[in-house]
Amino acid sequence: MKKSLAIAAAAVTALGLLAGCSGSDTEEKKKLSVAALEGGYGKDMYTQVIAAYKAKHPDLDVQLQISKSIEDEISPNMKAGKFPDVVVLGQGRKAGLTETLIKDKALEDLTPVLATVKDRLTEGIVGNLNTDPYGDGKTFLMPMYYAPTGLFYNKGLFTKNGWTVPETWDQMWTLAEDAKAKGVALFTYPTAGYLDSYFFSLLAGVGGEPFYTDVMTYKQDVWKTPQAKQALDITTKLLSYAAPTTVGYANEQDFTKNQQSILDNKALFMPNGTWIVGEMKDAPRAEGFEWGLTPLPAVTAGTKRYLTTSVESVWIPSAAKNKDAAKDFVAFLYSDEAAKIFAASNAIQPVKGIAASVPAENAGFFKLYEDPNVAALVGGFASTAPVEGVDIKAVLFDTANSIISGDKTEDQWQTALQDASEKLRQAGK
């Protein structure tokens, strides 16, 4: 999950773990440091996979550092020149560590690793901006887990009230009024950062994948287009139906309270990923609760709807000391043995056939891909040279808090997006 609370004790541990990166060449070859985000899938799967790898490489000391705030713990050492050898951390986090290394071109080329496992991977999961951030055909981030994201809801509440899950935005607005009459908010989000999957699907929905690509690659004046205005119109209206507690809880400490509002039948929909099932497994819930997932509604009935596919990443810093061992370890992560361990924790890798082992509670989520009117969407904003003071993700996602609070208007939002996009377009030339 997305937390940035620094933990001093873990940071001290990090110093000890990463100290293995210094010393003699012999010592370096026998040590491998792995840093991973402890997300909704938990940490046990990492310890099991590392144990399995150690069994095949008894002469290698694989040291794991895992935390919900992994960026805070490894960044100080990285700034001091002490890098982990392998990092499991995707894009889209508030700290933006992965994005920073992409912009700085500080990741190792993993194209040779991809070549050894590509035949095992799900079609279409590589060769996009998520894995090849520079668009040059070279892979710098390997896809680690994938999961459909969309609007999560309580099936039981819909059954109880005789509601139908909306397939168009017009149906969504009708449902909003019906729910409001029963004291239920239409929408909430854990933190504004979770609007990434929402916005990506929405942009493709209003303008098709070509328009989505235009936004992601900062096409000139893309935020002045009718499609961009339509996306912001829809979002502004959706936010007007947000649960009143959304903004107050939309932070790294309290985000689960917004998630809890779905389980308590206080809100109908929230953007999230399949990890939510495991993350909230011990949370109390309303009688008859059952997780449901739906793509965003279509702008026009019968048109394509999109599921933004969340892809976590594994990468190797170009400054890592043990690159050969790191590459071998990354390749092992796609073995049958490792994939089964990950799948047992609901962490589904883009490995052919592994989705068949998804537990029943999650199986329905992956079946959405079988709908001919639903398309998977993979990718994200293109990387450019850093532009001081410009963070288009923050402008696009975090501004939602200010729209709800009334601190900003939709016009101000659109203007800020146009300004940020144009600066990044210039930087990408």
Side-chain angles (χ1 to χ4, degrees), residues 142-178:
M142 290 287 287
M144 191 61 183
Y145 319 116
Y146 80 116
T149 67
L151 298 178
F152 280 77
Y153 64 98
N154 174 14
K155 288 184 178 180
L157 181 60
F158 276 72
T159 300
K160 177 181 177 181
N161 288 284
W163 291 332
T164 300
V165 177
E167 296 184 359
T168 68
W169 283 107
D170 286 341
Q171 292 172 3
M172 179 71 91
W173 308 139
T174 299
L175 175 61
E177 293 299 327
D178 291 345

PDB file of all heavy atoms in Angstrom, residues 142-178:
ATOM      1  N   MET A 142      10.613  -4.816 -15.199  1.00  0.00           N
ATOM      2  CA  MET A 142       9.915  -6.064 -15.491  1.00  0.00           C
ATOM      3  C   MET A 142       8.565  -6.057 -14.771  1.00  0.00           C
ATOM      4  O   MET A 142       8.463  -5.634 -13.610  1.00  0.00           O
ATOM      5  CB  MET A 142      10.751  -7.257 -15.032  1.00  0.00           C
ATOM      6  CG  MET A 142      12.001  -7.491 -15.865  1.00  0.00           C
ATOM      7  SD  MET A 142      11.629  -8.176 -17.494  1.00  0.00           S
ATOM      8  CE  MET A 142      11.174  -9.854 -17.041  1.00  0.00           C
ATOM      9  N   PRO A 143       7.516  -6.527 -15.446  1.00  0.00           N
ATOM     10  CA  PRO A 143       6.189  -6.553 -14.815  1.00  0.00           C
ATOM     11  C   PRO A 143       6.121  -7.652 -13.767  1.00  0.00           C
ATOM     12  O   PRO A 143       6.324  -8.827 -14.072  1.00  0.00           O
ATOM     13  CB  PRO A 143       5.258  -6.846 -15.997  1.00  0.00           C
ATOM     14  CG  PRO A 143       6.109  -7.632 -16.952  1.00  0.00           C
ATOM     15  CD  PRO A 143       7.502  -7.075 -16.809  1.00  0.00           C
ATOM     16  N   MET A 144       5.844  -7.277 -12.538  1.00  0.00           N
ATOM     17  CA  MET A 144       5.913  -8.224 -11.435  1.00  0.00           C
ATOM     18  C   MET A 144       4.558  -8.877 -11.129  1.00  0.00           C
ATOM     19  O   MET A 144       4.423 -10.097 -11.126  1.00  0.00           O
ATOM     20  CB  MET A 144       6.450  -7.508 -10.194  1.00  0.00           C
ATOM     21  CG  MET A 144       6.805  -8.415  -9.059  1.00  0.00           C
ATOM     22  SD  MET A 144       8.104  -9.570  -9.515  1.00  0.00           S
ATOM     23  CE  MET A 144       8.215 -10.530  -8.017  1.00  0.00           C
ATOM     24  N   TYR A 145       3.564  -8.078 -10.833  1.00  0.00           N
ATOM     25  CA  TYR A 145       2.216  -8.576 -10.614  1.00  0.00           C
ATOM     26  C   TYR A 145       1.277  -7.738 -11.471  1.00  0.00           C
ATOM     27  O   TYR A 145       1.552  -6.572 -11.754  1.00  0.00           O
ATOM     28  CB  TYR A 145       1.775  -8.432  -9.152  1.00  0.00           C
ATOM     29  CG  TYR A 145       2.828  -8.763  -8.143  1.00  0.00           C
ATOM     30  CD1 TYR A 145       3.317  -7.792  -7.288  1.00  0.00           C
ATOM     31  CD2 TYR A 145       3.337 -10.051  -8.046  1.00  0.00           C
ATOM     32  CE1 TYR A 145       4.314  -8.089  -6.366  1.00  0.00           C
ATOM     33  CE2 TYR A 145       4.329 -10.356  -7.126  1.00  0.00           C
ATOM     34  CZ  TYR A 145       4.809  -9.364  -6.293  1.00  0.00           C
ATOM     35  OH  TYR A 145       5.788  -9.652  -5.397  1.00  0.00           O
ATOM     36  N   TYR A 146       0.176  -8.317 -11.856  1.00  0.00           N
ATOM     37  CA  TYR A 146      -0.817  -7.512 -12.555  1.00  0.00           C
ATOM     38  C   TYR A 146      -2.189  -7.787 -11.963  1.00  0.00           C
ATOM     39  O   TYR A 146      -2.453  -8.876 -11.443  1.00  0.00           O
ATOM     40  CB  TYR A 146      -0.784  -7.764 -14.057  1.00  0.00           C
ATOM     41  CG  TYR A 146      -1.500  -9.002 -14.549  1.00  0.00           C
ATOM     42  CD1 TYR A 146      -2.596  -8.893 -15.393  1.00  0.00           C
ATOM     43  CD2 TYR A 146      -1.068 -10.290 -14.199  1.00  0.00           C
ATOM     44  CE1 TYR A 146      -3.252 -10.018 -15.881  1.00  0.00           C
ATOM     45  CE2 TYR A 146      -1.706 -11.412 -14.683  1.00  0.00           C
ATOM     46  CZ  TYR A 146      -2.807 -11.276 -15.522  1.00  0.00           C
ATOM     47  OH  TYR A 146      -3.445 -12.386 -15.991  1.00  0.00           O
ATOM     48  N   ALA A 147      -3.028  -6.793 -12.029  1.00  0.00           N
ATOM     49  CA  ALA A 147      -4.366  -6.929 -11.460  1.00  0.00           C
ATOM     50  C   ALA A 147      -5.288  -5.918 -12.103  1.00  0.00           C
ATOM     51  O   ALA A 147      -4.884  -4.781 -12.368  1.00  0.00           O
ATOM     52  CB  ALA A 147      -4.325  -6.702  -9.947  1.00  0.00           C
ATOM     53  N   PRO A 148      -6.517  -6.326 -12.360  1.00  0.00           N
ATOM     54  CA  PRO A 148      -7.476  -5.346 -12.864  1.00  0.00           C
ATOM     55  C   PRO A 148      -7.810  -4.349 -11.767  1.00  0.00           C
ATOM     56  O   PRO A 148      -7.932  -4.713 -10.595  1.00  0.00           O
ATOM     57  CB  PRO A 148      -8.686  -6.208 -13.228  1.00  0.00           C
ATOM     58  CG  PRO A 148      -8.582  -7.420 -12.359  1.00  0.00           C
ATOM     59  CD  PRO A 148      -7.112  -7.659 -12.185  1.00  0.00           C
ATOM     60  N   THR A 149      -7.923  -3.108 -12.132  1.00  0.00           N
ATOM     61  CA  THR A 149      -8.387  -2.085 -11.203  1.00  0.00           C
ATOM     62  C   THR A 149      -9.659  -1.487 -11.779  1.00  0.00           C
ATOM     63  O   THR A 149      -9.919  -1.571 -12.979  1.00  0.00           O
ATOM     64  CB  THR A 149      -7.353  -0.972 -10.996  1.00  0.00           C
ATOM     65  OG1 THR A 149      -7.204  -0.237 -12.224  1.00  0.00           O
ATOM     66  CG2 THR A 149      -6.006  -1.528 -10.571  1.00  0.00           C
ATOM     67  N   GLY A 150     -10.443  -0.904 -10.922  1.00  0.00           N
ATOM     68  CA  GLY A 150     -11.700  -0.321 -11.371  1.00  0.00           C
ATOM     69  C   GLY A 150     -12.476   0.146 -10.163  1.00  0.00           C
ATOM     70  O   GLY A 150     -11.894   0.513  -9.140  1.00  0.00           O
ATOM     71  N   LEU A 151     -13.782   0.119 -10.257  1.00  0.00           N
ATOM     72  CA  LEU A 151     -14.636   0.560  -9.160  1.00  0.00           C
ATOM     73  C   LEU A 151     -15.084  -0.653  -8.354  1.00  0.00           C
ATOM     74  O   LEU A 151     -15.789  -1.532  -8.870  1.00  0.00           O
ATOM     75  CB  LEU A 151     -15.845   1.313  -9.708  1.00  0.00           C
ATOM     76  CG  LEU A 151     -15.540   2.594 -10.488  1.00  0.00           C
ATOM     77  CD1 LEU A 151     -16.830   3.215 -11.013  1.00  0.00           C
ATOM     78  CD2 LEU A 151     -14.767   3.595  -9.630  1.00  0.00           C
ATOM     79  N   PHE A 152     -14.671  -0.705  -7.097  1.00  0.00           N
ATOM     80  CA  PHE A 152     -15.061  -1.792  -6.205  1.00  0.00           C
ATOM     81  C   PHE A 152     -16.314  -1.393  -5.427  1.00  0.00           C
ATOM     82  O   PHE A 152     -16.494  -0.220  -5.079  1.00  0.00           O
ATOM     83  CB  PHE A 152     -13.917  -2.138  -5.246  1.00  0.00           C
ATOM     84  CG  PHE A 152     -12.869  -3.008  -5.882  1.00  0.00           C
ATOM     85  CD1 PHE A 152     -11.940  -2.469  -6.760  1.00  0.00           C
ATOM     86  CD2 PHE A 152     -12.834  -4.372  -5.632  1.00  0.00           C
ATOM     87  CE1 PHE A 152     -10.986  -3.273  -7.371  1.00  0.00           C
ATOM     88  CE2 PHE A 152     -11.880  -5.185  -6.235  1.00  0.00           C
ATOM     89  CZ  PHE A 152     -10.962  -4.628  -7.106  1.00  0.00           C
ATOM     90  N   TYR A 153     -17.153  -2.395  -5.162  1.00  0.00           N
ATOM     91  CA  TYR A 153     -18.427  -2.121  -4.504  1.00  0.00           C
ATOM     92  C   TYR A 153     -18.900  -3.367  -3.767  1.00  0.00           C
ATOM     93  O   TYR A 153     -18.280  -4.445  -3.875  1.00  0.00           O
ATOM     94  CB  TYR A 153     -19.475  -1.684  -5.534  1.00  0.00           C
ATOM     95  CG  TYR A 153     -19.818  -2.744  -6.554  1.00  0.00           C
ATOM     96  CD1 TYR A 153     -20.950  -3.560  -6.404  1.00  0.00           C
ATOM     97  CD2 TYR A 153     -19.017  -2.953  -7.686  1.00  0.00           C
ATOM     98  CE1 TYR A 153     -21.268  -4.538  -7.339  1.00  0.00           C
ATOM     99  CE2 TYR A 153     -19.328  -3.931  -8.615  1.00  0.00           C
ATOM    100  CZ  TYR A 153     -20.452  -4.728  -8.450  1.00  0.00           C
ATOM    101  OH  TYR A 153     -20.766  -5.686  -9.368  1.00  0.00           O
ATOM    102  N   ASN A 154     -19.988  -3.235  -3.032  1.00  0.00           N
ATOM    103  CA  ASN A 154     -20.573  -4.347  -2.299  1.00  0.00           C
ATOM    104  C   ASN A 154     -21.745  -4.911  -3.091  1.00  0.00           C
ATOM    105  O   ASN A 154     -22.795  -4.275  -3.216  1.00  0.00           O
ATOM    106  CB  ASN A 154     -21.045  -3.876  -0.917  1.00  0.00           C
ATOM    107  CG  ASN A 154     -21.793  -4.969  -0.150  1.00  0.00           C
ATOM    108  OD1 ASN A 154     -21.753  -6.142  -0.514  1.00  0.00           O
ATOM    109  ND2 ASN A 154     -22.477  -4.576   0.917  1.00  0.00           N
ATOM    110  N   LYS A 155     -21.572  -6.104  -3.634  1.00  0.00           N
ATOM    111  CA  LYS A 155     -22.657  -6.736  -4.391  1.00  0.00           C
ATOM    112  C   LYS A 155     -23.905  -6.904  -3.529  1.00  0.00           C
ATOM    113  O   LYS A 155     -25.042  -6.758  -4.007  1.00  0.00           O
ATOM    114  CB  LYS A 155     -22.206  -8.104  -4.902  1.00  0.00           C
ATOM    115  CG  LYS A 155     -21.206  -8.089  -6.026  1.00  0.00           C
ATOM    116  CD  LYS A 155     -20.921  -9.517  -6.486  1.00  0.00           C
ATOM    117  CE  LYS A 155     -19.963  -9.563  -7.652  1.00  0.00           C
ATOM    118  NZ  LYS A 155     -19.698 -10.964  -8.089  1.00  0.00           N
ATOM    119  N   GLY A 156     -23.692  -7.217  -2.259  1.00  0.00           N
ATOM    120  CA  GLY A 156     -24.822  -7.442  -1.363  1.00  0.00           C
ATOM    121  C   GLY A 156     -25.711  -6.225  -1.228  1.00  0.00           C
ATOM    122  O   GLY A 156     -26.948  -6.347  -1.160  1.00  0.00           O
ATOM    123  N   LEU A 157     -25.126  -5.043  -1.188  1.00  0.00           N
ATOM    124  CA  LEU A 157     -25.908  -3.813  -1.054  1.00  0.00           C
ATOM    125  C   LEU A 157     -26.752  -3.569  -2.298  1.00  0.00           C
ATOM    126  O   LEU A 157     -27.907  -3.121  -2.202  1.00  0.00           O
ATOM    127  CB  LEU A 157     -24.962  -2.627  -0.810  1.00  0.00           C
ATOM    128  CG  LEU A 157     -25.624  -1.256  -0.633  1.00  0.00           C
ATOM    129  CD1 LEU A 157     -26.574  -1.264   0.565  1.00  0.00           C
ATOM    130  CD2 LEU A 157     -24.563  -0.175  -0.464  1.00  0.00           C
ATOM    131  N   PHE A 158     -26.204  -3.878  -3.467  1.00  0.00           N
ATOM    132  CA  PHE A 158     -26.966  -3.706  -4.706  1.00  0.00           C
ATOM    133  C   PHE A 158     -28.132  -4.683  -4.762  1.00  0.00           C
ATOM    134  O   PHE A 158     -29.251  -4.316  -5.145  1.00  0.00           O
ATOM    135  CB  PHE A 158     -26.041  -3.897  -5.919  1.00  0.00           C
ATOM    136  CG  PHE A 158     -25.275  -2.654  -6.285  1.00  0.00           C
ATOM    137  CD1 PHE A 158     -24.238  -2.194  -5.484  1.00  0.00           C
ATOM    138  CD2 PHE A 158     -25.605  -1.925  -7.417  1.00  0.00           C
ATOM    139  CE1 PHE A 158     -23.538  -1.048  -5.802  1.00  0.00           C
ATOM    140  CE2 PHE A 158     -24.921  -0.771  -7.752  1.00  0.00           C
ATOM    141  CZ  PHE A 158     -23.876  -0.326  -6.941  1.00  0.00           C
ATOM    142  N   THR A 159     -27.884  -5.912  -4.344  1.00  0.00           N
ATOM    143  CA  THR A 159     -28.953  -6.912  -4.328  1.00  0.00           C
ATOM    144  C   THR A 159     -30.056  -6.511  -3.361  1.00  0.00           C
ATOM    145  O   THR A 159     -31.253  -6.589  -3.677  1.00  0.00           O
ATOM    146  CB  THR A 159     -28.389  -8.288  -3.937  1.00  0.00           C
ATOM    147  OG1 THR A 159     -27.397  -8.682  -4.886  1.00  0.00           O
ATOM    148  CG2 THR A 159     -29.485  -9.338  -3.889  1.00  0.00           C
ATOM    149  N   LYS A 160     -29.653  -6.055  -2.196  1.00  0.00           N
ATOM    150  CA  LYS A 160     -30.606  -5.668  -1.159  1.00  0.00           C
ATOM    151  C   LYS A 160     -31.534  -4.553  -1.626  1.00  0.00           C
ATOM    152  O   LYS A 160     -32.739  -4.550  -1.302  1.00  0.00           O
ATOM    153  CB  LYS A 160     -29.833  -5.230   0.091  1.00  0.00           C
ATOM    154  CG  LYS A 160     -30.707  -4.733   1.233  1.00  0.00           C
ATOM    155  CD  LYS A 160     -29.839  -4.293   2.408  1.00  0.00           C
ATOM    156  CE  LYS A 160     -30.692  -3.729   3.536  1.00  0.00           C
ATOM    157  NZ  LYS A 160     -29.852  -3.281   4.679  1.00  0.00           N
ATOM    158  N   ASN A 161     -30.987  -3.604  -2.395  1.00  0.00           N
ATOM    159  CA  ASN A 161     -31.778  -2.440  -2.816  1.00  0.00           C
ATOM    160  C   ASN A 161     -32.345  -2.564  -4.234  1.00  0.00           C
ATOM    161  O   ASN A 161     -33.024  -1.659  -4.718  1.00  0.00           O
ATOM    162  CB  ASN A 161     -30.925  -1.174  -2.728  1.00  0.00           C
ATOM    163  CG  ASN A 161     -30.664  -0.736  -1.302  1.00  0.00           C
ATOM    164  OD1 ASN A 161     -31.544  -0.185  -0.638  1.00  0.00           O
ATOM    165  ND2 ASN A 161     -29.465  -1.007  -0.816  1.00  0.00           N
ATOM    166  N   GLY A 162     -32.055  -3.694  -4.888  1.00  0.00           N
ATOM    167  CA  GLY A 162     -32.551  -3.876  -6.234  1.00  0.00           C
ATOM    168  C   GLY A 162     -31.884  -2.963  -7.247  1.00  0.00           C
ATOM    169  O   GLY A 162     -32.461  -2.655  -8.298  1.00  0.00           O
ATOM    170  N   TRP A 163     -30.653  -2.560  -6.954  1.00  0.00           N
ATOM    171  CA  TRP A 163     -29.915  -1.666  -7.854  1.00  0.00           C
ATOM    172  C   TRP A 163     -29.151  -2.481  -8.904  1.00  0.00           C
ATOM    173  O   TRP A 163     -28.709  -3.601  -8.651  1.00  0.00           O
ATOM    174  CB  TRP A 163     -28.913  -0.822  -7.079  1.00  0.00           C
ATOM    175  CG  TRP A 163     -29.540   0.207  -6.177  1.00  0.00           C
ATOM    176  CD1 TRP A 163     -30.734   0.820  -6.336  1.00  0.00           C
ATOM    177  CD2 TRP A 163     -28.976   0.741  -4.968  1.00  0.00           C
ATOM    178  NE1 TRP A 163     -30.972   1.711  -5.309  1.00  0.00           N
ATOM    179  CE2 TRP A 163     -29.901   1.688  -4.461  1.00  0.00           C
ATOM    180  CE3 TRP A 163     -27.790   0.524  -4.281  1.00  0.00           C
ATOM    181  CZ2 TRP A 163     -29.667   2.401  -3.290  1.00  0.00           C
ATOM    182  CZ3 TRP A 163     -27.550   1.245  -3.115  1.00  0.00           C
ATOM    183  CH2 TRP A 163     -28.478   2.176  -2.624  1.00  0.00           C
ATOM    184  N   THR A 164     -28.970  -1.874 -10.063  1.00  0.00           N
ATOM    185  CA  THR A 164     -28.179  -2.467 -11.131  1.00  0.00           C
ATOM    186  C   THR A 164     -26.882  -1.684 -11.263  1.00  0.00           C
ATOM    187  O   THR A 164     -26.883  -0.451 -11.211  1.00  0.00           O
ATOM    188  CB  THR A 164     -28.937  -2.410 -12.469  1.00  0.00           C
ATOM    189  OG1 THR A 164     -30.168  -3.136 -12.337  1.00  0.00           O
ATOM    190  CG2 THR A 164     -28.107  -3.020 -13.596  1.00  0.00           C
ATOM    191  N   VAL A 165     -25.770  -2.385 -11.426  1.00  0.00           N
ATOM    192  CA  VAL A 165     -24.478  -1.712 -11.592  1.00  0.00           C
ATOM    193  C   VAL A 165     -24.516  -0.920 -12.897  1.00  0.00           C
ATOM    194  O   VAL A 165     -24.804  -1.478 -13.956  1.00  0.00           O
ATOM    195  CB  VAL A 165     -23.327  -2.736 -11.614  1.00  0.00           C
ATOM    196  CG1 VAL A 165     -21.988  -2.032 -11.867  1.00  0.00           C
ATOM    197  CG2 VAL A 165     -23.274  -3.503 -10.300  1.00  0.00           C
ATOM    198  N   PRO A 166     -24.247   0.382 -12.849  1.00  0.00           N
ATOM    199  CA  PRO A 166     -24.381   1.222 -14.042  1.00  0.00           C
ATOM    200  C   PRO A 166     -23.358   0.890 -15.121  1.00  0.00           C
ATOM    201  O   PRO A 166     -22.182   0.671 -14.830  1.00  0.00           O
ATOM    202  CB  PRO A 166     -24.177   2.639 -13.501  1.00  0.00           C
ATOM    203  CG  PRO A 166     -23.403   2.467 -12.232  1.00  0.00           C
ATOM    204  CD  PRO A 166     -23.849   1.163 -11.660  1.00  0.00           C
ATOM    205  N   GLU A 167     -23.831   0.884 -16.366  1.00  0.00           N
ATOM    206  CA  GLU A 167     -22.952   0.655 -17.502  1.00  0.00           C
ATOM    207  C   GLU A 167     -22.682   1.924 -18.290  1.00  0.00           C
ATOM    208  O   GLU A 167     -21.824   1.938 -19.167  1.00  0.00           O
ATOM    209  CB  GLU A 167     -23.553  -0.417 -18.415  1.00  0.00           C
ATOM    210  CG  GLU A 167     -23.654  -1.778 -17.746  1.00  0.00           C
ATOM    211  CD  GLU A 167     -24.150  -2.853 -18.690  1.00  0.00           C
ATOM    212  OE1 GLU A 167     -24.446  -2.528 -19.867  1.00  0.00           O
ATOM    213  OE2 GLU A 167     -24.229  -4.019 -18.267  1.00  0.00           O
ATOM    214  N   THR A 168     -23.426   2.983 -17.987  1.00  0.00           N
ATOM    215  CA  THR A 168     -23.198   4.290 -18.610  1.00  0.00           C
ATOM    216  C   THR A 168     -23.173   5.344 -17.515  1.00  0.00           C
ATOM    217  O   THR A 168     -23.676   5.122 -16.405  1.00  0.00           O
ATOM    218  CB  THR A 168     -24.303   4.649 -19.618  1.00  0.00           C
ATOM    219  OG1 THR A 168     -25.542   4.862 -18.901  1.00  0.00           O
ATOM    220  CG2 THR A 168     -24.489   3.553 -20.652  1.00  0.00           C
ATOM    221  N   TRP A 169     -22.605   6.492 -17.835  1.00  0.00           N
ATOM    222  CA  TRP A 169     -22.548   7.567 -16.842  1.00  0.00           C
ATOM    223  C   TRP A 169     -23.939   8.109 -16.529  1.00  0.00           C
ATOM    224  O   TRP A 169     -24.219   8.503 -15.393  1.00  0.00           O
ATOM    225  CB  TRP A 169     -21.613   8.677 -17.312  1.00  0.00           C
ATOM    226  CG  TRP A 169     -20.169   8.304 -17.132  1.00  0.00           C
ATOM    227  CD1 TRP A 169     -19.276   7.975 -18.105  1.00  0.00           C
ATOM    228  CD2 TRP A 169     -19.467   8.189 -15.889  1.00  0.00           C
ATOM    229  NE1 TRP A 169     -18.058   7.651 -17.551  1.00  0.00           N
ATOM    230  CE2 TRP A 169     -18.142   7.782 -16.182  1.00  0.00           C
ATOM    231  CE3 TRP A 169     -19.819   8.382 -14.550  1.00  0.00           C
ATOM    232  CZ2 TRP A 169     -17.181   7.569 -15.194  1.00  0.00           C
ATOM    233  CZ3 TRP A 169     -18.854   8.172 -13.560  1.00  0.00           C
ATOM    234  CH2 TRP A 169     -17.560   7.770 -13.880  1.00  0.00           C
ATOM    235  N   ASP A 170     -24.842   8.115 -17.492  1.00  0.00           N
ATOM    236  CA  ASP A 170     -26.213   8.551 -17.206  1.00  0.00           C
ATOM    237  C   ASP A 170     -26.859   7.651 -16.169  1.00  0.00           C
ATOM    238  O   ASP A 170     -27.564   8.125 -15.258  1.00  0.00           O
ATOM    239  CB  ASP A 170     -27.049   8.557 -18.495  1.00  0.00           C
ATOM    240  CG  ASP A 170     -26.707   9.720 -19.414  1.00  0.00           C
ATOM    241  OD1 ASP A 170     -26.111  10.703 -18.920  1.00  0.00           O
ATOM    242  OD2 ASP A 170     -27.034   9.643 -20.612  1.00  0.00           O
ATOM    243  N   GLN A 171     -26.610   6.362 -16.279  1.00  0.00           N
ATOM    244  CA  GLN A 171     -27.135   5.428 -15.278  1.00  0.00           C
ATOM    245  C   GLN A 171     -26.476   5.666 -13.919  1.00  0.00           C
ATOM    246  O   GLN A 171     -27.124   5.519 -12.868  1.00  0.00           O
ATOM    247  CB  GLN A 171     -26.899   3.990 -15.741  1.00  0.00           C
ATOM    248  CG  GLN A 171     -27.703   3.577 -16.955  1.00  0.00           C
ATOM    249  CD  GLN A 171     -27.304   2.205 -17.493  1.00  0.00           C
ATOM    250  OE1 GLN A 171     -26.440   1.515 -16.928  1.00  0.00           O
ATOM    251  NE2 GLN A 171     -27.903   1.798 -18.599  1.00  0.00           N
ATOM    252  N   MET A 172     -25.202   6.048 -13.939  1.00  0.00           N
ATOM    253  CA  MET A 172     -24.486   6.332 -12.697  1.00  0.00           C
ATOM    254  C   MET A 172     -25.130   7.509 -11.964  1.00  0.00           C
ATOM    255  O   MET A 172     -25.313   7.474 -10.739  1.00  0.00           O
ATOM    256  CB  MET A 172     -23.017   6.629 -12.987  1.00  0.00           C
ATOM    257  CG  MET A 172     -22.188   6.965 -11.752  1.00  0.00           C
ATOM    258  SD  MET A 172     -21.899   5.543 -10.665  1.00  0.00           S
ATOM    259  CE  MET A 172     -20.359   4.916 -11.335  1.00  0.00           C
ATOM    260  N   TRP A 173     -25.489   8.550 -12.694  1.00  0.00           N
ATOM    261  CA  TRP A 173     -26.076   9.728 -12.047  1.00  0.00           C
ATOM    262  C   TRP A 173     -27.464   9.413 -11.479  1.00  0.00           C
ATOM    263  O   TRP A 173     -27.825   9.930 -10.412  1.00  0.00           O
ATOM    264  CB  TRP A 173     -26.152  10.895 -13.020  1.00  0.00           C
ATOM    265  CG  TRP A 173     -24.866  11.220 -13.721  1.00  0.00           C
ATOM    266  CD1 TRP A 173     -24.702  11.565 -15.027  1.00  0.00           C
ATOM    267  CD2 TRP A 173     -23.536  11.252 -13.154  1.00  0.00           C
ATOM    268  NE1 TRP A 173     -23.388  11.790 -15.325  1.00  0.00           N
ATOM    269  CE2 TRP A 173     -22.642  11.614 -14.194  1.00  0.00           C
ATOM    270  CE3 TRP A 173     -23.019  10.995 -11.886  1.00  0.00           C
ATOM    271  CZ2 TRP A 173     -21.264  11.731 -13.999  1.00  0.00           C
ATOM    272  CZ3 TRP A 173     -21.640  11.106 -11.687  1.00  0.00           C
ATOM    273  CH2 TRP A 173     -20.783  11.465 -12.719  1.00  0.00           C
ATOM    274  N   THR A 174     -28.221   8.568 -12.152  1.00  0.00           N
ATOM    275  CA  THR A 174     -29.523   8.150 -11.616  1.00  0.00           C
ATOM    276  C   THR A 174     -29.337   7.368 -10.329  1.00  0.00           C
ATOM    277  O   THR A 174     -30.048   7.585  -9.335  1.00  0.00           O
ATOM    278  CB  THR A 174     -30.268   7.282 -12.655  1.00  0.00           C
ATOM    279  OG1 THR A 174     -30.486   8.047 -13.847  1.00  0.00           O
ATOM    280  CG2 THR A 174     -31.606   6.814 -12.110  1.00  0.00           C
ATOM    281  N   LEU A 175     -28.372   6.459 -10.336  1.00  0.00           N
ATOM    282  CA  LEU A 175     -28.068   5.677  -9.136  1.00  0.00           C
ATOM    283  C   LEU A 175     -27.614   6.584  -8.004  1.00  0.00           C
ATOM    284  O   LEU A 175     -27.960   6.356  -6.831  1.00  0.00           O
ATOM    285  CB  LEU A 175     -26.981   4.641  -9.443  1.00  0.00           C
ATOM    286  CG  LEU A 175     -26.469   3.813  -8.257  1.00  0.00           C
ATOM    287  CD1 LEU A 175     -27.597   2.993  -7.637  1.00  0.00           C
ATOM    288  CD2 LEU A 175     -25.324   2.900  -8.695  1.00  0.00           C
ATOM    289  N   ALA A 176     -26.859   7.615  -8.325  1.00  0.00           N
ATOM    290  CA  ALA A 176     -26.357   8.538  -7.302  1.00  0.00           C
ATOM    291  C   ALA A 176     -27.505   9.150  -6.504  1.00  0.00           C
ATOM    292  O   ALA A 176     -27.432   9.261  -5.267  1.00  0.00           O
ATOM    293  CB  ALA A 176     -25.520   9.633  -7.948  1.00  0.00           C
ATOM    294  N   GLU A 177     -28.568   9.540  -7.208  1.00  0.00           N
ATOM    295  CA  GLU A 177     -29.710  10.153  -6.521  1.00  0.00           C
ATOM    296  C   GLU A 177     -30.478   9.125  -5.705  1.00  0.00           C
ATOM    297  O   GLU A 177     -30.944   9.420  -4.601  1.00  0.00           O
ATOM    298  CB  GLU A 177     -30.622  10.820  -7.550  1.00  0.00           C
ATOM    299  CG  GLU A 177     -29.994  12.027  -8.242  1.00  0.00           C
ATOM    300  CD  GLU A 177     -29.628  13.142  -7.262  1.00  0.00           C
ATOM    301  OE1 GLU A 177     -30.340  13.319  -6.248  1.00  0.00           O
ATOM    302  OE2 GLU A 177     -28.603  13.818  -7.508  1.00  0.00           O
ATOM    303  N   ASP A 178     -30.600   7.901  -6.245  1.00  0.00           N
ATOM    304  CA  ASP A 178     -31.278   6.844  -5.491  1.00  0.00           C
ATOM    305  C   ASP A 178     -30.524   6.516  -4.202  1.00  0.00           C
ATOM    306  O   ASP A 178     -31.130   6.343  -3.134  1.00  0.00           O
ATOM    307  CB  ASP A 178     -31.397   5.576  -6.352  1.00  0.00           C
ATOM    308  CG  ASP A 178     -32.364   5.733  -7.513  1.00  0.00           C
ATOM    309  OD1 ASP A 178     -33.147   6.705  -7.499  1.00  0.00           O
ATOM    310  OD2 ASP A 178     -32.317   4.893  -8.434  1.00  0.00           O
TER     311      ASP A 178
END
